[in-house]
Amino acid sequence: MPKPASAQLSIIRDGLFVSRPLTADISETAPTAQKLVKDHYGRRPLTAVELVVTSPKRIPRLAAMSQGAAAGVPENVYEEKLLSCTAKPHDLYSVTVIAPKNTVQVLINAKRLRRRPREIGATLVWAFVEVDQLSRKGAVERRIALTRHELGTHVLSKSKARSLYRIEAEMEDEAAKVTGRIVGKVIQQNRQAEAAAREEVAAAHNAA
């Protein structure tokens, strides 16, 4: 069942063998990651976000179902095909996809994050950058066009398809750069806070 983190954010554990402690850690970290991205861009995307903590085996099918349904592709079509963004699911930390009813899903690779728990924060920051990107004007329409193209219902010309793939690559580059800036800033602030705390302890010890 979804766990309400906020009016616009919910977390779902999908799969019998998906780690409950990992899902709890993601639930605890997600609101902070969401706020960091909101503060960076100075705006809050109005899109409702659903974080789905699942296995890499399930990610390709869930992505095709979500984007296929959002793009109006018949169920019998998206049940048989997969999307390029999930071609290597075991390599993914997460993938952000459009979903029906003007929502966005973030499919999180529980297996990879279970092995690298220190990367939960960065993964969620990256995901919320992608949520912001999909909230921008024309972004959903482009993703719908690309989804229909990949699922074969409305095949694009080669030039149009290249243009959309180029935009997707640019969005990925932006997500990497912004995530690096945000995570770097948090690390710096934490180090400064730790240094200040050590100075206070030393000052108190000297005074005593």
Side-chain angles (χ1 to χ4, degrees), residues 109-124:
N109 185 345
K111 187 172 183 180
R112 186 156 196 180
L113 280 183
R114 189 184 70 227
R115 294 174 177 172
R116 297 172 174 82
R118 292 185 180 181
E119 297 178 14
I120 290 175
T123 297
L124 292 173

Side-chain angles (χ1 to χ4, degrees), residues 30-135:
T32 300
Q34 186 181 44
K35 184 178 185 303
L36 287 169
V37 175
K38 169 185 172 293
D39 291 346
H40 176 84
Y41 285 112
R43 60 177 176 260
R44 178 182 178 182
L46 299 177
T47 305
V49 181
E50 189 175 77
L51 303 181
V52 182
V53 188
T54 189
S55 67
K57 185 177 180 179
R58 294 173 68 87
I59 284 176
R61 180 60 53 214
L62 291 173
M65 288 173 57
S66 182
Q67 293 209 153
V73 175
E75 184 174 350
N76 66 308
V77 174
Y78 64 68
E79 279 187 343
E80 298 297 325
K81 297 184 179 181
L82 301 177
L83 302 170
S84 63
C85 63
T86 59
K88 298 179 179 179
H90 290 274
D91 293 342
L92 295 172
Y93 282 94
S94 68
V95 60
T96 304
V97 297
I98 57 172
K101 299 181 181 179
N102 195 34
T103 61
V104 171
Q105 277 192 343
V106 179
L107 306 175
I108 299 173
N109 185 345
K111 187 172 183 180
R112 186 156 196 180
L113 280 183
R114 189 184 70 227
R115 294 174 177 172
R116 297 172 174 82
R118 292 185 180 181
E119 297 178 14
I120 290 175
T123 297
L124 292 173
V125 167
W126 185 302
F128 283 113
V129 171
E130 292 182 327
V131 171
D132 186 278
Q133 292 171 334
L134 287 176
S135 299

Side-chain angles (χ1 to χ4, degrees), residues 126-195:
W126 185 302
F128 283 113
V129 171
E130 292 182 327
V131 171
D132 186 278
Q133 292 171 334
L134 287 176
S135 299
R136 299 171 192 173
K137 184 177 179 180
V140 170
E141 290 75 15
R142 288 193 298 270
R143 185 62 66 86
I144 286 174
L146 193 56
T147 299
R148 290 172 174 172
H149 171 73
E150 292 195 343
L151 297 181
T153 59
H154 295 78
V155 178
L156 302 170
S157 67
K158 290 183 179 180
S159 61
K160 181 61 177 178
R162 280 197 300 268
S163 175
L164 292 181
Y165 284 122
R166 184 177 66 250
I167 292 171
E168 291 284 319
E170 290 170 353
M171 289 169 61
E172 185 173 0
D173 288 343
E174 178 196 358
K177 291 175 182 176
V178 171
T179 299
R181 292 192 196 108
I182 292 174
V183 172
K185 184 178 180 180
V186 170
I187 291 172
Q188 183 180 26
Q189 290 173 340
N190 288 343
R191 287 174 177 170
Q192 290 173 344
E194 290 171 359

